[in-house]
Amino acid sequence: MSLSNSLGLLGRKVGMMRLFTDDGDAVPVTVVDVSNNRVTQIKTQENDGYVALQVTFGSRKASRVTKPAAGHLAKAGVEAGEIIREFRVTADAAAQYQAGASVPVNAVFTVGQKVDVQGTSIGKGYAGTIKRHHMSSQRASHGNSRSHNVPGSIGMAQDPGRVFPGKRMTGHLGDDTVTTQNLDVFRIDEARQLLLIRGAIPGSKGGFVTVRHAVKAKESAANAKGAN
């Protein structure tokens, strides 16, 4: 769920490219397809104890949908999607939508806005401590026999005489839920429902991402002045 208390969008990472400003500067951007976001359920304070919009993205075969999910989507009159998320919103924002309504990109985001993008990082399999935790390797010569790329001793003294849980060691690297914060919306393609976000976002090409309003974005001086 979103901590920004505002509606976001679900999408698929298309890839990266570069755009040029009027001054000739090259800007690296990530293209995110946020087309066909649709509301599957409106949660209210009276029925659910909180206010939220449940949104789905993509399309899925009917044979790939469980019967409870199929009934839930049929009630809203919405085609089954590949990903479903909830966004906490205000009661006024929830009143603007109905079940089955589509959510266009220009209704949620604007150019220059700060956003947080959440996705699943690229999995890199089983990795050693040097690569997984960015540790410094030992010297690779002068008596160091095949120990330059290992963490070294992990034991402790007789008291406590054990390895504490959480010790940084070898293990599965990547394939984690990662959020990159305070990215800029560089351009919006309303015709193709694309978000062009400055910089890199988590995940590989074709991976699903969630784009939300930034929760740590500092209020601009103009907005602060107008509020006062």
Side-chain angles (χ1 to χ4, degrees):
M1 292 180 293
S2 174
L3 298 177
S4 62
N5 204 35
S6 58
L7 182 60
L9 290 176
L10 309 178
R12 179 183 284 106
K13 180 178 177 179
V14 179
M16 293 195 70
M17 59 182 295
R18 65 175 178 173
L19 298 175
F20 292 92
T21 64
D22 295 336
D23 297 331
D25 297 329
V27 178
V29 297
T30 304
V31 182
V32 181
D33 177 15
V34 292
S35 61
N36 200 18
N37 271 258
R38 47 207 185 273
V39 179
T40 58
Q41 185 181 7
I42 300 176
K43 299 200 171 183
T44 61
Q45 187 70 36
E46 295 77 12
N47 295 336
D48 306 284
Y50 64 98
V51 182
L53 289 176
Q54 189 183 86
V55 180
T56 187
F57 166 80
S59 60
R60 178 176 290 181
K61 294 181 180 179
S63 60
R64 297 294 184 180
V65 181
T66 62
K67 288 186 177 181
H72 176 69
L73 296 170
K75 182 178 179 181
V78 177
E79 177 191 3
E82 298 175 86
I83 180 175
I84 295 179
R85 293 289 185 272
E86 280 188 7
F87 297 95
R88 290 285 186 99
V89 296
T90 62
D92 294 336
Q96 300 177 7
Y97 294 92
Q98 296 180 351
S102 61
V103 185
V105 61
N106 57 341
V108 181
F109 298 111
T110 57
V111 175
Q113 186 177 11
K114 296 285 187 179
V115 294
D116 296 340
V117 183
Q118 185 181 79
T120 303
S121 62
I122 298 175
K124 299 183 179 180
Y126 193 94
T129 52
I130 304 298
K131 182 174 182 180
R132 189 185 186 200
H133 301 293
H134 309 288
M135 293 183 176
S136 298
S137 60
Q138 303 175 36
R139 60 191 302 176
S141 61
H142 294 280
N144 194 347
S145 178
R146 296 183 298 177
S147 299
H148 61 279
N149 210 37
V150 296
S153 176
I154 65 170
M156 306 185 72
Q158 186 172 357
D159 181 20
R162 64 188 179 91
V163 178
F164 286 121
K167 176 81 174 170
R168 292 186 299 173
M169 300 178 68
T170 61
H172 191 181
L173 175 61
D175 197 25
D176 292 323
T177 300
V178 179
T179 301
T180 303
Q181 297 180 317
N182 290 339
L183 298 175
D184 295 318
V185 177
F186 187 78
R187 187 175 298 177
I188 296 177
D189 190 335
E190 297 182 12
R192 293 181 289 182
Q193 292 291 291
L194 299 176
L195 270 177
L196 282 73
I197 301 173
R198 182 194 296 263
I201 65 175
S204 57
K205 294 180 181 179
F208 296 111
V209 296
T210 304
V211 186
R212 300 184 174 101
H213 293 259
V215 296
K216 295 182 180 179
K218 295 183 179 179
E219 187 177 16
S220 63
N223 294 337
K225 183 178 180 180
N228 296 331

